[in-house]
Amino acid sequence: MSATVDTHVHDEDHDVHHHKETFVTKYIFSQDHKMIAKQYLITGTLMGVIGVLMSIMFRIQIAWPEEPNVLFEALLGKWAPEGVMDADVYLALVTIHGTIMVFFVLTAGLSGTFSNLLIPLQIGARDMASGFLNMVSYWLFFISCVIMIGSLFVEAGPAAAGWTIYPPLSALPMASGGSGLGMTLWLVSMAIFIASSLLGSLNYIVTVINLRTKGMSMTRLPLTIWAFFVTAVIGVVSFPVLLSAALLLIMDRSFGTSFFLSDIFIQGEVLHYQGGSPVLFEHLFWFLGHPEVYIVILPAMGLVSEIMASNSRKPIFGYRAMIASILAIAFLSTIVWGHHMFVSGMNPFLGSVFTFTTLLIAIPSAVKAFNWITTIWKGNLQMNPAMLFSIGFVSTFITGGLTGIILGDSALDINVHDTYFVIAHFHLVMGISALYGMFAGIYHWYPKMFGRMLNKNLGYIHFWITAICAYGVFFPMHFIGMAGLPRRYYTNSSFPLFDDLANTNVIITIFAIIGGLAQIIYLYNFFASIFYGKKAVQNPWKSTTLEWTTPVKHIHGNWPGAIPHVYRWSYDYSKPGHEEDFVPQNIPLKEGEEELQH
């Protein structure tokens, strides 16, 4: 391991040489992991703005259906004649909103940003194993973003088969307007996104295994690195399966094959497709789709573990149990995908197997929740915005996870499948929780990224409005879901059965609009602080991990001299026998001092 480190020790001349960079090599085609992290974050943020705007538009449609709206007329043009939203474009908005938020915001915003920023800094490496692959990974991600946004401007409309793109709606170009070129562009964009994700994941894995500094054993790694490492492994295992599904779907659409199609009638005419099965596509999609949930949530869990320990001034509770639960979640995530398919005609025995494995995954998840609560118990809590978002994360993870027990049980799931109950569940446990983790990470590591501090008071306002509105949107959805309201209907006015739920939908939409607008406060804080924020000191949060030993000003190679060696684990907070309430990892043990048993 030390041999690996020696090859990475740059001399002073090398550093000087690397500072003579052009604008293009520094800000555009950069191979520096810190710059690539910022590129991912800003691209993901811009995609997030588009995704949230879409959700506000379709929420307005559900609350006040068939009423003319100036916003629709301005943004949707021919898709909203006289300001009334067209039914097809409602499905398109739901589809692209889901795709953008799950893949382009949460996957890239968490893994892309924080894996890139923190892996080299926290393990004591000069950079990623391959800076070039890292750069290629970002630019493939950027191209896939451009293609996905470009599909919005196709004449026949963007993909409109739901973010899960089930056939036959996605497999037959003539099925609907959005099944044509828009769907093809969706598939091309996702194929490029998967290539980007795989390149990134392989880079993260190799870096963590090979480039740890001297003394940095696997049991001294911060939980952030464990989370990023295991997330990358899940990505490498499951993303190729979605790629195969996308390629087979392209074959069905363009080359006359029948992988997912059989016995199709359109307007009384029998099509030539035979022998395929749309359920096969569901299996391939959800084999990625469920691990994807953990690809999104595990990095957030790692960030929250680090932030909670630092802001409680206490060692993380149950370090090894936390690692074990990350590994257990990773393994179990690959054998639970069938719970998305209980109503697909699945054999009831197979359904009971998937119910069992799904309920098992609650155990490592609960271990993590209890350990976070125990970490902050009787701690010296620093209630900054990062800590508030971390506590908010634990709250939404528990409340969203509890409804997962209902949806994971085949007998109970059938009653609420494809209703708003499902939307409430996965938005809380995956969407809002992951966003909170991402916000917590941004507030905590912003000084490391930009050398300046975010405005704390704006952070508090951002947190409280977001937290109240998130529950205001998704808590009532459980009840309208249990009342039977189906998802993906662009209006419910045709069904007298649902008239009583109209007012609830209006309340949800009002919360959604306020919550969406609150993100403007965050965006202002984020972009203004880059230029006008208070200058950061080297270790503003008094944390123990290695990234806070690097200079505030970014340099190529991270450390100006030799890479620091590691002598202790990453959570020596409030350790008896030390003057300060934190001991950085690069401080040698005192004579007679024992490393904490964790």
Side-chain angles (χ1 to χ4, degrees), residues 215-224 226-227 230 305 315-329 363-365 367-368 371-372 375 568-571 595-598:
M216 181 65 86
S217 62
M218 292 300 275
T219 48
R220 283 177 174 171
L221 286 174
L223 287 170
T224 38
W226 270 104
V230 173
S305 301
I316 192 81
F317 184 86
Y319 173 81
R320 288 181 189 241
M322 289 296 240
I323 295 171
S325 61
I326 289 174
L327 295 169
I329 285 171
I363 298 169
S365 304
V367 167
K368 296 190 90 57
N371 283 4
W372 287 318
T375 299
R568 55 183 74 236
W569 75 319
S570 36
Y571 297 102
E595 190 171 357
L596 274 180
Q597 293 299 309
H598 45 267

Side-chain angles (χ1 to χ4, degrees), residues 430-450:
M430 180 180 96
I432 299 298
S433 297
L435 273 178
Y436 282 0
M438 187 165 100
F439 284 138
I442 291 165
Y443 280 101
H444 190 76
W445 278 284
Y446 191 90
K448 190 44 51 195
M449 278 192 268
F450 296 102

Side-chain angles (χ1 to χ4, degrees), residues 534-555:
K534 181 182 151 197
K535 288 205 167 149
V537 295
Q538 187 178 20
N539 189 356
W541 314 119
K542 296 187 166 33
S543 295
T544 57
T545 41
L546 287 182
E547 75 269 31
W548 304 107
T549 64
T550 61
V552 177
K553 188 177 187 321
H554 286 179
I555 59 166

Side-chain angles (χ1 to χ4, degrees), residues 3-310:
T4 316
V5 173
D6 294 341
T7 60
H8 273 68
V9 176
H10 296 222
D11 56 25
E12 296 297 323
D13 298 336
H14 193 77
D15 279 337
V16 172
H17 167 73
H18 261 284
H19 279 128
K20 294 170 186 167
E21 291 181 310
T22 64
F23 179 84
V24 174
T25 58
K26 187 172 181 187
Y27 293 106
I28 301 173
F29 296 115
S30 174
Q31 295 187 24
D32 183 350
H33 70 101
K34 300 180 290 296
M35 183 56 67
I36 292 170
K38 291 189 230 181
Q39 290 175 323
Y40 265 112
L41 180 57
I42 290 170
T43 312
T45 301
L46 296 176
M47 292 296 280
V49 170
I50 296 166
V52 169
L53 187 62
M54 286 178 170
S55 64
I56 289 173
M57 281 163 65
F58 60 70
R59 277 310 320 172
I60 291 172
Q61 163 63 22
I62 297 166
W64 300 285
E66 286 143 35
E67 285 185 27
N69 190 295
V70 186
L71 184 68
F72 294 167
E73 207 162 7
L75 293 177
L76 298 176
K78 69 168 185 174
W79 299 110
E82 296 174 7
V84 178
M85 188 185 288
D86 183 70
D88 284 343
V89 84
Y90 174 84
L91 284 175
L93 287 173
V94 171
T95 301
I96 305 296
H97 161 80
T99 308
I100 283 177
M101 297 309 279
V102 171
F103 295 109
F104 296 95
V105 178
L106 296 178
T107 307
L110 280 158
S111 269
T113 301
F114 291 104
S115 296
N116 267 312
L117 178 72
L118 295 178
I119 287 177
L121 287 172
Q122 289 193 337
I123 68 172
R126 293 289 183 197
D127 206 313
M128 283 290 179
S130 170
F132 177 76
L133 272 190
N134 213 8
M135 177 189 77
V136 172
S137 169
Y138 168 72
W139 282 104
L140 287 175
F141 167 69
F142 182 81
I143 291 165
S144 70
C145 288
V146 170
I147 294 172
M148 189 62 72
I149 299 305
S151 75
L152 297 171
F153 301 97
V154 171
E155 190 177 354
W163 80 278
T164 55
I165 58 158
Y166 286 173
L169 199 54
S170 59
L172 293 170
M174 70 290 279
S176 73
S179 299
L181 180 58
M183 188 70 237
T184 303
L185 289 173
W186 191 100
L187 289 166
V188 170
S189 170
M190 283 312 299
I192 296 170
F193 173 83
I194 292 165
S196 155
S197 180
L198 287 173
L199 287 179
S201 294
L202 291 169
N203 218 351
Y204 307 150
I205 291 167
V206 172
T207 306
V208 171
I209 290 174
N210 286 340
L211 299 188
R212 303 191 306 278
T213 187
K214 189 174 180 187
M216 181 65 86
S217 62
M218 292 300 275
T219 48
R220 283 177 174 171
L221 286 174
L223 287 170
T224 38
I225 303 301
W226 270 104
F228 300 145
F229 175 66
V230 173
T231 300
V233 173
I234 301 175
V236 169
V237 169
S238 56
F239 264 120
V241 180
L242 183 64
L243 181 61
S244 67
L247 293 176
L248 295 180
L249 197 50
I250 289 170
M251 302 284 280
D252 274 12
R253 291 171 55 79
S254 305
F255 301 105
T257 57
S258 301
F259 291 108
F260 307 130
L261 294 168
S262 184
D263 305 326
I264 303 283
F265 294 78
I266 289 192
Q267 295 172 338
E269 182 191 343
V270 185
L271 300 187
H272 66 276
Y273 298 103
Q274 277 186 326
S277 167
V279 176
L280 169 62
F281 178 86
E282 290 188 40
H283 279 291
L284 292 174
F285 181 89
W286 287 115
F287 189 81
L288 161 93
H290 202 79
E292 168 65 25
V293 173
Y294 294 100
I295 289 171
V296 162
I297 206 76
L298 278 177
M301 288 175 165
L303 297 173
V304 163
S305 301
E306 182 66 36
I307 291 165
M308 280 197 163
S310 180

Side-chain angles (χ1 to χ4, degrees), residues 373-389:
I373 293 166
T374 318
T375 299
I376 61 175
W377 175 253
K378 293 193 174 176
N380 176 17
L381 303 187
Q382 315 294 307
M383 284 298 188
N384 49 43
M387 185 63 162
L388 289 177
F389 273 111

